[in-house]
Amino acid sequence: MEYSHNDAELIQQPIGYWSWAAFHAVVTRTRAALAEIGTTQPQWWVLAQVARADTARSRDEMVRLLENYLDTGPEAMEREIDRTIAQGWIDEDSEGRLSITAEGRAFYDKAAALQDELWAERHAGISDEEYLTTLKVLQRFIHNTGGRAWHH
């Protein structure tokens, strides 16, 4: 691939623009690929959390966990949980605990395989060392600007 600028010029480029452009490209690609198999990114988050949980989480716990993913918000996550239930991928018991259905497990496996393909696509030509450095640099930018990320 060709870079947009030479190294001396790249060092002067604004991180805000390039982090936004990367975010936009990754999220747009991910959402388009998930739409092709009939789901949304927030529905994937719900399904993945339910499928991977050691113990069933309540709807309220799930909303609190996911509401800040990409600034989704609690109302939107409530709707996405409802839609995931309507798809038949998860069930909600009388106490609000969510569990995966057999249909949901099959769909989760399909979507997880797609996510693995997307990961490989995004990481093509990027070493683990480069990726680690990138994440550490981005977290330092967040820290230096007084920002907050999900881990705070």
Side-chain angles (χ1 to χ4, degrees):
M1 83 164 255
E2 284 189 42
Y3 292 99
S4 62
H5 301 78
N6 65 39
D7 288 356
E9 294 168 331
L10 271 176
I11 203 101
Q12 300 299 316
Q13 289 292 301
I15 186 63
Y17 170 76
W18 289 105
S19 59
W20 170 85
F23 164 84
H24 188 359
V26 169
V27 170
T28 299
R29 173 70 177 115
T30 301
R31 289 183 173 177
L34 289 169
E36 287 177 12
I37 64 168
T39 194
T40 67
Q41 190 176 35
Q43 288 169 8
W44 160 252
W45 299 334
V46 171
L47 186 61
Q49 288 295 326
V50 172
R52 296 174 184 159
D54 292 331
T55 59
R57 289 192 174 118
S58 72
R59 172 186 283 265
D60 290 341
E61 289 171 320
M62 191 67 65
V63 168
R64 281 192 307 275
L65 175 68
L66 299 174
E67 70 185 354
N68 292 320
Y69 279 28
L70 305 185
D71 292 327
T72 302
E75 296 83 12
M77 283 315 307
E78 287 281 355
R79 286 190 303 274
E80 295 296 345
I81 290 169
D82 289 341
R83 290 177 181 143
T84 308
I85 292 168
Q87 290 280 11
W89 298 331
I90 61 173
D91 284 326
E92 182 175 14
D93 69 17
S94 61
E95 295 177 10
R97 288 185 306 260
L98 304 172
S99 60
I100 195 161
T101 65
E103 183 180 347
R105 177 60 65 188
F107 188 78
Y108 167 79
D109 291 343
K110 178 180 179 178
L114 173 61
Q115 291 286 25
D116 289 344
E117 291 171 19
L118 292 170
W119 175 273
E121 177 183 280
R122 286 189 301 266
H123 288 249
I126 300 169
S127 70
D128 288 348
E129 182 180 356
E130 290 171 311
Y131 184 65
L132 179 61
T133 298
T134 300
L135 291 185
K136 286 183 174 183
V137 168
L138 288 172
Q139 288 188 17
R140 177 54 64 175
F141 274 114
I142 294 165
H143 172 79
N144 288 350
T145 58
R148 295 184 56 79
W150 69 267
H151 67 283
H152 289 111

